[in-house]
Amino acid sequence: MSRIVSSPLLGIAVANDMKVLALSGCVIFSFTDWLDGYLAKKLHQETVLGAFLDPVADKFMIGSLIAGLLYKGLIPIPLAIVIVGRDVALLVMATLLRHKERPKGAPFFDTTFSATFSITPSIVSKTNTCFQFLLITVTLCNFTCGYPEMTYIEPLWWMTGTTTVVSGLSYLDGSGVRMKKKITK
């Protein structure tokens, strides 16, 4: 939840040349995101709410930082559109599927007992998230410290754009959606 609330502040930090704050915030949030997921699995503390909020928090963080980097002219507009557009499309599709599949009378966001499907990220999608965080981090390093040079970052634009498109398309065949037994009342 803290990543969702503070992610826009990181984007604002980038836009206002608060370079060290933006870079350190990105590194800290990326690490705590990984640590949270690792501990949840290791300690068997995975929850429906956590499974929903974690990817949403990733999307908020990535979107906010991409917006800040775009504002500063540090990433190309088409790449920003691909990254943010994919995330918006996935959220819209998941919301429409929940609307269609939600049991009658079940609260929309309370999926604890009324979940009719789950979305399982593919290896391509997880790889894409890693590429996006890597791109953001090295771009922030360039913005803050002047290295690596942009000529070394530009190939990462292509790799990130490609994995973003491929991961987005991989959800269209429905392989990442697991339907559950419908609950009737």
Side-chain angles (χ1 to χ4, degrees):
M1 189 64 153
S2 62
R3 279 188 295 142
I4 292 173
V5 172
S6 50
S7 289
L9 300 176
L10 289 179
I12 291 168
V14 172
N16 288 299
D17 293 323
M18 298 177 196
K19 299 173 181 182
V20 174
L21 176 64
L23 177 59
S24 58
C26 177
V27 170
I28 289 167
F29 286 162
S30 296
F31 175 74
T32 57
D33 174 41
W34 170 82
L35 182 64
D36 175 56
Y38 173 78
L39 290 175
K41 286 181 181 134
K42 181 101 172 144
L43 302 174
H44 306 289
Q45 297 294 314
E46 298 166 296
T47 65
V48 172
L49 182 60
F52 171 77
L53 286 179
D54 187 61
V56 169
D58 287 347
K59 288 170 186 8
F60 266 86
M61 184 173 164
I62 288 168
S64 296
L65 286 166
I66 289 293
L69 293 171
L70 181 63
Y71 178 79
K72 297 305 284 186
L74 296 170
I75 61 163
I77 293 170
L79 179 59
I81 290 170
V82 166
I83 291 171
V84 174
R86 171 200 171 264
D87 288 347
V88 168
L90 290 177
L91 287 172
V92 167
M93 290 187 322
T95 301
L96 291 173
L97 185 58
R98 173 65 178 160
H99 178 71
K100 178 183 172 201
E101 296 292 328
R102 177 175 52 127
K104 188 175 182 176
F108 193 84
F109 290 106
D110 180 9
T111 60
T112 305
F113 300 107
S114 66
T116 56
F117 68 92
S118 64
I119 297 176
T120 307
S122 66
I123 295 297
V124 174
S125 185
K126 290 179 180 185
T127 302
N128 174 57
T129 300
C130 289
F131 269 114
Q132 289 179 348
F133 278 119
L134 178 63
L135 172 67
I136 289 167
T137 303
V138 297
T139 304
L140 284 172
C141 283
N142 171 275
F143 182 52
T144 305
C145 310
Y147 60 88
E149 294 178 20
M150 287 305 285
T151 55
Y152 296 108
I153 297 173
E154 289 175 8
L156 194 53
W157 293 348
W158 291 99
M159 291 185 284
T160 304
T162 300
T163 60
T164 301
V165 169
V166 170
S167 71
L169 292 174
S170 72
Y171 284 103
L172 293 179
D173 68 0
S175 61
V177 177
R178 306 278 185 258
M179 298 307 290
K180 297 179 179 183
K181 185 178 176 182
K182 282 198 175 188
I183 300 168
T184 55
K185 289 196 175 194

